[in-house]
């Protein structure tokens, strides 16, 4: 966890990748660690055993997931199932 | 197929970029790709537009400029199909930010999309809006978003809620509109909507106090109920994380309760039960549980006081501290630091655990723990804590030692119950980590030692022993050398033995030995060697039998390349040889350094740089006193901090006089304090000015520095003796006069009359500047000065320019001079008015640096100086 003026960076390492979040100083760090983990789980589920290349080649899908998960700087949905469902629906449209 | 035509698929481009081996290759690929995209944009190519934008986004993520694609985003957003819109909005969010004007053009499209029948498109629009809308867009589109807060589809409601968060952040005035819908949202069953509603509520309360009031009254109970249901809810696989149902919702609810409960007793009361329940029931073996507990603790600490809950919270933190996970310990330490201000007692109970953390392997935890320990120290636990810390000092690693030493020293200083303990601990610290000890710390030690007269013998023996065992720590050597010089006789005679000491026998030559080894060590730096020289001089007086040997040692430095050592060596040599009669008087015990003064000095922390204007030449006492004021100050300052660079040493002289006069806590002040004060002053005045080179020497030099000038040396007689009536030499009486002139003010208000004596501010061989003062009756802080320049040489000065600089607490205003040519030999004068405002009137006297430039026979001359002899009360 790094601190910088009004914000701090919370990160978690998964193999060769670092997932970092920049949050307010007053926020609960442990909660965001959970948040990162949930996000990675969703990615894992969606891409079926996600690897780094998946993220690179499908960045627009990653953003789609992110848009369903976090919006305007706050958590949008905490249920993995709900997000995956929604992604399914959106995929059908594309 | 040309890999870089618009026809390339996104994948292929990505593959091509990743296949590049060097940065230059990659740049080339990207450049070609961008060119193709630009061409396609120009042609208004419909088919591949979204593919191109996707490529553009990838390129943007790599860090290349992509502003040419911004209009493409708009076109894509305006197109009817979902995939195009999707890419368009994504491009919008990635490639633009809220400051771009292009964003305004999108407003209309977004508005239409918000009203679209396809809810996924509405979702897209809300998403984009929520992420990057600007204030104007927010204002325009707020009504739409409000409407959508009540849409039937929960997904849209969620997004609308979060979008509203951004809107009210950007445009706080609109907050009122959202209050009512939010109240409805808080009753939702759907977790997603509920959590977004809670978040919106939290932000509303932060932004608008009315909202806060409203929610506090209406919704607190509902929220408490929701939280209770959540905590007690059965296993729900959908939201389960680590055995807890939707920890994120827990945390958000707790946060909202915190915002609602802060500052309001009723709300806090209603929360107490549920908080207690959460705090006790939540399992803490997984991170999710810990996260909830952490939030709970934060909430407990922020809401209105409830002793039981607070203790519970701090106990939880204590449990965290023993957790193996570094993150959790770090977080706990942070919180404890904040908790100390609220309830120090409870935190004290966990002192032992915190001490353990100081020794942790992780550097950031160590630092936090050390700060926490520092905050925890008070009079009752200072001894064991310090012992622990000092023990740890021995084994800590280098980079941590600096921090640790600084903290330990300041703890010792602040809380030491008695002097002997202080000296003991400092000795230990010096032995272990003397090299990390800052100069002001060991100066303080010296001051304390000199004040603890009953401990002199003990101290000097302890230092002697320490020096025998370890001589690598520079500060230790310096303090030891100083003490041995001062109290060598006590060392040898074993005077003042305390019960806890083992007797040691030290002969005079042992003492001299050890000081000699300090000089001879290669690792000793200039300060140490200089201190050793003066210590030897003192010893030569206290141990006459070793005098010859000492002289030989001193003489060895006669040819030293360093001016300071050479000078000292020569002068001391001559004192030893030819001036036996005054030698003893010269090196009598230093008068006790006033701790109060010293403390005040450090607090005011004026710099210690010796004013270079002081020369070493022997001058009249008058002349000497003023420039010597700088080293005097340094002497008392004993501090190496350098803030306020424009402040000068003269301050100290005045300060010294000033500080000594009001009820001084000086221990020796049996006679009237002014006398004692001026004693010290006299002593200091006698210590001659040191050469300009001393700028980079630390002040202890001056503390123990020798005397350069015989006339001044002679007057030391007076100084050493406690009474002012001893007037053996005319110079002494001159100095007395001088001091009387500078004399103490507060007890004698008569001197502070409205008429201030004029001073000769600056005098050189060719120029004199006199200042006359006056003050406005109602404005004591401002002084009008009328300066008058007189040319003492026989040449005409032309282009005469006077400049002055003052330290930050003074304000200076210079009026134009009466002229800029100064006739020779005092045949005329130039006058110039100054106005000085002293924001620290009464606390700090005036001081000013001058720079005078003029031409003589066409050649430029520059004179610089410093005025330290302002009347004290200006």
């Amino acid at each position: 966890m790094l601190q910088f003026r009004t914000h701090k960076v919370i990160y978690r390492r998964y193999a060769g990748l670092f997932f970092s979040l920049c949050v307010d100083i007053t926020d609960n760090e442990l909660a965001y660690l959970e948040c990162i983990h949930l996000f990675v789980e969703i990615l894992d589920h969606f891409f079926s055993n996600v690897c780094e290349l998946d993220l690179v080649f499908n960045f627009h899908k990653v953003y789609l997931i992110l848009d369903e998960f976090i919006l305007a700087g706050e958590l949008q949905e905490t249920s993995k199932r709900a997000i995956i469902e929604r992604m399914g629906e959106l995929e059908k449209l594309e | 197929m040309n890999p870089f035509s618009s026809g390339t698929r996104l994948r292929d481009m990505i593959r091509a970029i990743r296949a590049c081996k060097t940065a230059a290759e990659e740049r080339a690929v990207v450049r070609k790709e961008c060119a193709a995209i630009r061409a396609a944009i120009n042609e208004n190519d419909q088919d591949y537009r979204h593919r191109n934008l996707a490529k553009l986004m990838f390129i943007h993520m790599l860090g290349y400029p992509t502003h040419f694609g911004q209009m493409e985003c708009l076109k894509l957003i305006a197109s009817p199909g979902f995939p195009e819109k999707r890419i368009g909005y994504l491009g919008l969010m990635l490639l633009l930010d809220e400051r771009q004007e292009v964003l305004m053009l999108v407003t209309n499209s977004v508005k239409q999309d918000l009203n679209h029948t396809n809810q996924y498109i509405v979702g897209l629009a809300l998403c984009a809006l929520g992420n990057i809308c600007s204030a104007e867009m927010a204002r325009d589109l707020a009504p739409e978003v409000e409407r959508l807060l009540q849409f039937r589809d929960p997904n849209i409601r969620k997004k609308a809620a979060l979008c509203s968060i951004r809107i009210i952040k950007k445009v706080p005035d609109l907050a009122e509109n959202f209050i009512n819908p939010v109240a409805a949202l808080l009753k939702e069953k759907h977790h997603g909507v509920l959590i977004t509603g809670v978040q919106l509520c939290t932000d509303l309360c932060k932004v608008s106090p009315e909202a806060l009031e409203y929610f506090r009254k209406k919704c607190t109970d509902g929220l408490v109920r929701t939280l209770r249901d959540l905590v007690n809810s059965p296993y729900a696989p959908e939201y389960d994380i680590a055995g807890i149902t939707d920890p994120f919702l827990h945390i958000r609810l707790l946060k909202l309760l915190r915002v609602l409960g802060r500052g309001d007793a009723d709300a806090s009361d209603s929360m107490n039960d549920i908080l207690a329940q959460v705090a006790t029931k939540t399992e803490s073996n997984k991170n999710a549980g810990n996260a909830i507990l952490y939030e709970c603790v934060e909430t407990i600490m922020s809401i209105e006081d409830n002793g039981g809950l607070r203790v519970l919270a701090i106990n939880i933190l204590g449990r965290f501290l023993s957790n193996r996970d570094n993150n959790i310990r770090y977080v706990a330490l942070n919180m404890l630091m904040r908790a100390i201000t609220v309830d120090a007692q409870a935190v004290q109970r966990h002192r032992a655990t915190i001490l353990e953390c100081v020794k942790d392997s992780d550097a950031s935890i160590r630092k936090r723990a050390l700060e926490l320990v520092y905050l925890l120290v008070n009079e009752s636990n200072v001894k064991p804590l310090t012992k622990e810390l000092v023990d740890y000092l021995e084994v800590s690693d280098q980079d941590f030692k600096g921090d640790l030493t600084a903290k330990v020293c300041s703890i010792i200083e602040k809380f030491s119950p008695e002097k002997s303990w202080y000296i003991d601990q400092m000795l230990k610290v010096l032995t272990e980590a003397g090299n990390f000890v800052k100069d002001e710390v060991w100066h303080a030690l010296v001051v304390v030692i000199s004040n603890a007269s009953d401990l002199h013998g003990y101290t000097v023996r302890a230092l002697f022993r320490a020096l025998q065992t370890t001589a690598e720590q520079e500060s230790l050597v310096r303090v030891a050398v100083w003490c041995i010089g001062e109290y060598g006789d006590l060392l040898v005679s074993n005077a003042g033995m305390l019960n806890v000491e083992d007797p040691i026998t030290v002969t005079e030559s042992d003492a001299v030995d050890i000081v000699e080894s300090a000089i001879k060590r290669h690792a000793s730096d200039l300060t140490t060697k200089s201190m050793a020289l003066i210590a030897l001089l003192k010893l030569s007086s206290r141990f006459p039998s070793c005098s010859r040997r000492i002289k030989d040692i001193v003489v060895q430095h006669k040819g030293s390349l360093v001016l300071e050592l050479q000078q000292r060596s020569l002068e001391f040599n001559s004192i030893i040889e030819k001036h036996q009669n005054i030698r003893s008087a010269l090196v009598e015990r230093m008068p006790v350094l006033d701790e109060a003064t010293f403390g005040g000095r450090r607090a005011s922390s004026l710099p210690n740089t010796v004013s270079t204007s002081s020369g070493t030449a022997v001058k009249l006492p008058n002349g000497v006193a003023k420039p010597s004021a700088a080293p005097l100050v340094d002497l008392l300052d004993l501090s190496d901090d350098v803030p306020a660079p424009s402040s000068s040493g003269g301050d100290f002289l005045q300060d010294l006089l000033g500080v000594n006069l009001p009820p001084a806590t000086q221990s020796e002040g049996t006679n009237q304090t002014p006398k004692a004060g001026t004693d010290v002053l006299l002593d200091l005045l006698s210590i001659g000015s040191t050469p300009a080179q001393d700028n980079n020497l630390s002040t202890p030099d001056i503390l123990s520095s020798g005397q350069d000038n015989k006339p001044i040396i002679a007057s030391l007689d007076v100084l050493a003796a406690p009474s002012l009536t001893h007037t053996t030499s005319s110079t002494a009486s001159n100095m007395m006069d001088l001091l009387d002139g500078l004399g103490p003010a507060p007890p004698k208000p008569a001197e502070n009359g409205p008429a201030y004596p004029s001073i000769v501010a600056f005098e050189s061989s060719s120029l004199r500047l006199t200042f006359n003062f006056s003050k406005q009756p109602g404005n004591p802080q401002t002084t009008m000065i009328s300066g008058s320049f007189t040319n003492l040489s026989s040449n005409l000065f032309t282009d005469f320019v006077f400049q002055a600089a003052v330290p930050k607490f003074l304000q200076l205003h210079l009026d134009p001079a009466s002229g800029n040519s100064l006739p020779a030999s005092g045949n005329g004068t130039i006058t110039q008015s100054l106005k000085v405002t002293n924001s620290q009137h009464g606390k700090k006297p005036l001081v000013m640096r001058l720079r005078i430039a003029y031409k003589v026979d066409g050649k430029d001359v520059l004179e610089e100086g410093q005025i330290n002899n302002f009347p004290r009360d200006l």
Side-chain angles (χ1 to χ4, degrees):
Chain A
M1 187 195 338
L2 283 75
Q3 269 187 316
F4 176 72
R5 288 194 234 157
T6 51
H7 300 95
K8 55 188 170 191
V9 174
I10 309 212
Y11 63 94
R12 208 161 186 179
R13 182 173 178 178
Y14 289 88
L17 289 179
F18 285 87
F19 288 81
S20 318
L21 288 178
C22 175
V23 303
D24 284 339
I25 283 235
T26 50
D27 281 348
N28 181 346
E29 301 92 351
L30 302 174
Y32 285 109
L33 280 173
E34 279 307 309
C35 197
I36 295 177
H37 192 68
L38 183 59
F39 184 60
V40 173
E41 272 186 27
I42 295 176
L43 285 177
D44 195 33
H45 202 268
F46 187 73
F47 288 105
S48 314
N49 283 331
V50 67
C51 63
E52 188 181 338
L53 280 180
D54 281 333
L55 298 179
V56 171
F57 279 98
N58 296 307
F59 66 91
H60 49 286
K61 292 197 188 144
V62 174
Y63 270 109
L64 210 52
I65 298 178
L66 192 57
D67 284 338
E68 291 296 321
F69 184 49
I70 291 182
L71 186 66
E74 302 276 3
L75 273 183
Q76 195 184 147
E77 178 62 63
T78 51
S79 152
K80 196 164 89 178
R81 185 192 60 86
I83 297 185
I84 304 279
E85 260 183 42
R86 181 133 177 112
M87 287 306 297
E89 293 163 20
L90 285 168
E91 286 277 286
K92 273 187 282 193
L93 288 175
E94 289 241 8
Chain B
M1 170 157 115
N2 177 1
F4 303 119
S5 75
S6 295
T8 355
R9 303 181 56 211
L10 175 61
R11 292 198 156 253
D12 299 329
M13 182 196 85
I14 298 182
R15 221 172 269 138
I17 290 183
R18 282 174 70 90
C20 296
K21 299 278 191 309
T22 68
E25 248 184 275
E26 184 181 300
R27 275 198 296 272
V29 172
V30 167
R31 225 194 333 260
K32 280 214 189 94
E33 197 62 51
C34 282
I37 295 178
R38 266 195 293 255
I41 292 177
N42 281 340
E43 290 162 23
N44 230 343
D45 183 347
Q46 303 280 19
D47 310 327
Y48 296 123
R49 196 177 276 153
H50 76 276
R51 181 185 288 169
N52 284 337
L53 195 60
K55 289 187 203 163
L56 207 57
M57 282 192 283
F58 189 81
I59 295 175
H60 175 82
M61 283 197 295
L62 288 175
Y64 298 94
T66 50
H67 36 272
F68 55 87
Q70 287 172 1
M71 292 308 290
E72 284 296 285
C73 296
L74 272 67
K75 290 191 201 143
L76 275 171
I77 291 176
S79 48
F82 180 80
E84 284 85 19
K85 272 199 202 278
R86 158 95 194 103
I87 293 284
Y89 275 117
L90 188 59
L92 190 74
M93 287 191 282
L94 281 184
L95 302 176
L96 276 82
D97 58 58
E98 65 183 73
R99 289 168 300 193
Q100 310 268 6
E101 291 85 25
V102 178
L103 210 49
M104 295 305 296
L105 300 173
V106 143
T107 315
N108 205 21
S109 303
V110 173
K111 191 183 231 167
Q112 285 176 350
D113 283 337
L114 282 177
N115 293 322
H116 211 278
T117 45
N118 183 342
Q119 54 131 324
Y120 294 102
I121 294 184
V122 178
L124 275 182
L126 279 171
C127 193
L129 206 59
N131 280 330
I132 68 166
C133 82
S134 60
E136 295 81 29
M137 284 177 77
R139 221 182 282 274
D140 285 339
L141 297 168
E144 304 289 327
V145 175
E146 249 183 86
R147 182 180 57 82
L148 289 168
L149 272 176
Q150 281 131 11
F151 203 80
R152 53 178 199 287
D153 183 15
N155 285 313
I156 301 294
R157 285 209 296 278
K158 274 191 317 202
K159 294 195 207 282
L162 292 177
C163 198
S164 320
I165 292 184
R166 187 169 174 103
I167 291 180
I168 56 178
K169 273 194 198 150
K170 291 282 159 201
V171 188
D173 311 325
L174 293 175
E176 289 89 40
N177 306 351
F178 289 97
I179 294 183
N180 283 324
V182 169
L185 279 179
L186 287 176
K187 302 202 180 67
E188 287 271 348
K189 290 285 175 249
H190 186 274
H191 279 217
V193 186
L194 186 52
I195 206 175
T196 56
V198 167
Q199 283 167 155
L200 178 54
C201 193
T202 319
D203 275 309
L204 263 180
C205 294
K206 276 193 213 148
V207 159
S208 144
E210 301 95 41
L212 182 59
E213 280 312 306
Y214 179 83
F215 287 117
R216 203 176 257 163
K217 276 196 297 266
K218 294 279 182 63
C219 303
T220 313
D221 295 326
L223 287 169
V224 172
R225 246 196 324 266
T226 317
L227 184 55
R228 190 172 298 134
D229 292 339
L230 189 60
V231 171
N232 295 332
S233 71
Y235 176 69
E238 180 168 342
Y239 295 107
D240 182 78
I241 293 184
I244 304 176
T245 319
D246 209 345
F248 299 107
L249 188 55
H250 272 97
I251 292 174
R252 292 276 179 255
L253 281 169
L254 284 169
K255 196 166 181 186
L256 181 55
L257 285 176
R258 176 157 88 239
V259 170
L260 291 179
R262 181 176 289 162
D264 185 74
D266 295 327
S268 310
D269 280 336
S270 47
M271 294 178 213
N272 285 339
D273 296 331
I274 188 65
L275 286 173
Q277 189 183 358
V278 171
T280 44
K281 286 266 192 69
T282 317
E283 300 174 6
S284 68
N285 43 3
K286 283 289 174 65
N287 193 34
N290 284 330
I292 295 182
L293 282 174
Y294 180 39
E295 194 71 28
C296 196
V297 167
E298 276 227 42
T299 307
I300 293 178
M301 301 306 291
S302 313
I303 64 176
E304 292 306 303
D305 188 46
N306 179 328
L309 271 184
R310 288 248 164 99
V311 174
L312 187 57
I314 296 190
N315 286 343
I316 294 181
L317 288 177
R319 259 198 348 251
F320 274 7
L321 277 180
S322 344
N323 196 304
R324 266 173 299 133
D325 186 352
N326 276 348
N327 282 332
I328 297 189
R329 275 189 294 179
Y330 186 85
V331 151
L333 285 172
N334 259 342
M335 271 244 70
L336 279 172
M337 265 202 283
R338 295 200 327 246
I340 276 201
T341 48
V342 170
D343 185 356
Q345 264 311 92
V347 186
Q348 290 280 359
R349 262 178 252 132
H350 297 281
R351 207 169 57 228
T353 337
I354 299 175
L355 262 178
E356 280 310 303
C357 287
V358 177
K359 307 180 188 151
D360 197 87
S361 46
D362 183 276
S364 43
I365 290 192
R366 276 206 297 264
K367 250 200 249 168
R368 283 269 181 270
L370 185 59
E371 278 177 39
L372 194 52
V373 166
Y374 183 64
L375 288 171
L376 275 180
V377 166
N378 58 31
E379 286 77 23
S380 50
N381 59 21
V382 65
K383 282 200 180 158
L385 265 182
T386 321
K387 181 174 170 326
E388 281 274 349
L389 287 176
V390 171
D391 289 339
Y392 181 56
L393 194 55
E394 298 175 26
V395 298
S396 64
D397 33 87
Q398 292 299 88
D399 30 353
F400 195 49
K401 254 191 186 163
D403 275 342
L404 190 50
T405 320
K407 284 278 181 349
V408 167
C409 291
S410 75
I411 291 180
I412 294 179
E413 244 178 289
K414 269 203 233 160
F415 292 109
S416 63
E418 66 254 348
K419 291 209 163 63
S420 62
W421 185 83
Y422 180 102
I423 293 178
D424 267 340
Q425 297 301 317
M426 284 307 297
L427 281 185
K428 278 206 206 122
V429 173
L430 281 179
T431 328
E432 278 308 319
N435 288 332
F436 294 100
V437 169
K438 292 212 188 57
D439 286 336
E440 59 185 4
V441 170
W442 63 268
H443 297 173
L445 176 61
V446 166
V447 170
V448 168
I449 292 179
S450 75
N451 270 320
S453 44
D454 45 337
L455 294 172
H456 284 163
Y458 169 68
T459 316
V460 69
R461 278 186 288 276
L463 280 169
F464 182 81
R465 267 187 230 117
L467 202 52
Q468 277 184 316
T469 45
T470 49
E472 297 104 29
Q473 305 289 348
E474 205 65 34
S475 326
L476 179 64
V477 174
R478 287 181 202 163
V479 175
V481 156
W482 186 84
C483 281
I484 294 178
E486 271 299 294
Y487 310 121
D489 46 338
L490 295 179
L491 178 64
V492 171
S493 63
N494 265 338
M497 288 280 286
L498 299 183
N499 300 346
V500 294
E501 283 187 70
D502 312 316
I504 64 171
T505 42
V506 182
T507 64
E508 299 178 351
S509 60
D510 285 339
V512 177
D513 277 343
I514 210 159
V515 180
E516 180 182 1
S517 63
I519 291 195
K520 293 223 155 70
R521 260 177 55 214
H522 286 290
S524 300
D525 64 356
L526 183 56
T527 318
T528 319
K529 288 192 181 156
S530 327
M531 288 179 80
L533 278 175
I534 180 77
L536 281 176
L537 179 65
K538 293 182 193 169
L539 285 180
S540 86
S541 157
R542 306 204 205 292
F543 306 152
S545 53
C546 297
S547 196
R548 172 123 296 268
R549 179 178 163 208
I550 289 181
K551 172 170 149 20
D552 289 336
I553 303 176
V554 168
V555 149
Q556 280 168 18
H557 289 272
K558 213 160 61 161
S560 159
L561 288 172
V562 180
L563 179 59
E564 176 67 15
L565 292 181
Q566 191 186 90
Q567 182 173 5
R568 287 188 188 213
S569 158
L570 288 167
E571 288 165 0
F572 297 169
N573 190 29
S574 101
I575 294 180
I576 296 180
E577 296 226 322
K578 303 179 206 149
H579 301 281
Q580 317 269 356
N581 49 336
I582 60 166
R583 183 177 56 180
S584 50
L586 275 182
V587 294
E588 273 196 23
R589 290 259 194 281
M590 291 226 29
V592 173
L593 301 160
D594 180 18
E595 284 181 280
T597 318
F598 180 69
R601 185 70 55 258
R602 288 177 67 194
S604 63
S605 66
L606 290 165
N608 71 337
T609 49
V610 177
S611 166
T612 51
S613 57
S614 59
T616 51
V618 179
K619 292 189 201 163
L620 294 176
N622 245 335
V624 167
K626 292 181 184 57
S628 318
L632 282 183
V633 173
D634 292 344
L635 169 62
L636 274 190
D637 179 33
L638 296 184
S639 150
D640 275 337
D641 300 339
V642 219
S646 52
S647 199
S648 80
D651 273 342
F652 283 96
L653 180 55
Q654 323 276 14
D655 265 355
L656 166 62
L657 287 178
V659 171
N660 271 329
L661 300 172
T665 56
Q666 205 170 351
S667 47
E668 320 288 289
T670 45
N671 357 359
Q672 309 80 6
T673 23
K675 270 204 189 151
T678 37
D679 270 345
V680 189
L681 178 58
L682 282 176
D683 185 25
L684 300 172
L685 273 182
S686 72
I687 298 176
S689 44
T690 52
Q693 253 188 324
D694 278 0
N695 268 340
N696 48 1
L697 290 179
S698 66
T699 44
D701 272 349
I702 306 169
L703 175 62
S704 53
S705 77
Q707 307 76 5
D708 311 4
N709 311 309
K710 298 198 175 114
I712 308 178
I713 290 174
S715 62
L716 250 186
D717 269 327
V718 179
L719 307 180
S723 95
L724 280 178
T725 56
H726 191 183
T727 54
T728 43
S729 64
S730 58
T731 48
S733 53
N734 278 351
M735 299 195 66
M736 304 298 283
D737 290 343
L738 166 71
L739 279 177
D740 286 344
L742 289 176
K748 302 178 193 163
E751 283 186 0
N752 295 0
Y756 300 97
S758 51
I759 60 169
V760 175
F762 173 81
E763 179 151 5
S764 72
S765 55
S766 48
L767 184 64
R768 184 194 304 136
L769 163 64
T770 326
F771 274 173
N772 293 309
F773 305 98
S774 65
K775 274 198 201 263
Q776 318 263 7
N779 195 354
Q781 286 193 341
T782 307
T783 312
M784 324 290 290
I785 307 179
S786 151
S788 134
F789 298 89
T790 313
N791 183 348
L792 301 174
S793 79
S794 51
N795 303 315
L796 169 70
F797 292 162
T798 54
D799 294 320
F800 189 92
V801 173
F802 164 71
Q803 291 168 311
V806 290
K808 288 203 179 104
F809 60 90
L810 297 176
Q811 276 174 318
L812 174 67
H813 178 79
L814 227 57
D815 289 333
S818 64
N820 64 350
S821 81
L822 199 50
S825 311
N827 285 332
T829 57
I830 292 183
T831 50
Q832 188 158 13
S833 305
L834 306 89
K835 190 163 76 161
V836 179
T837 307
N838 185 355
S839 64
Q840 305 241 14
H841 172 74
K843 291 183 239 157
K844 284 190 186 169
L846 299 184
V847 69
M848 196 184 283
R849 277 201 128 91
L850 315 168
R851 178 190 255 231
I852 305 172
Y854 52 87
K855 279 197 171 125
V856 176
D857 292 340
K859 278 187 312 183
D860 284 337
V861 179
L862 188 64
E863 302 203 36
E864 289 181 16
Q866 185 163 316
I867 313 174
N868 303 320
N869 54 338
F870 281 103
R872 218 189 58 85
D873 316 292
L874 288 180

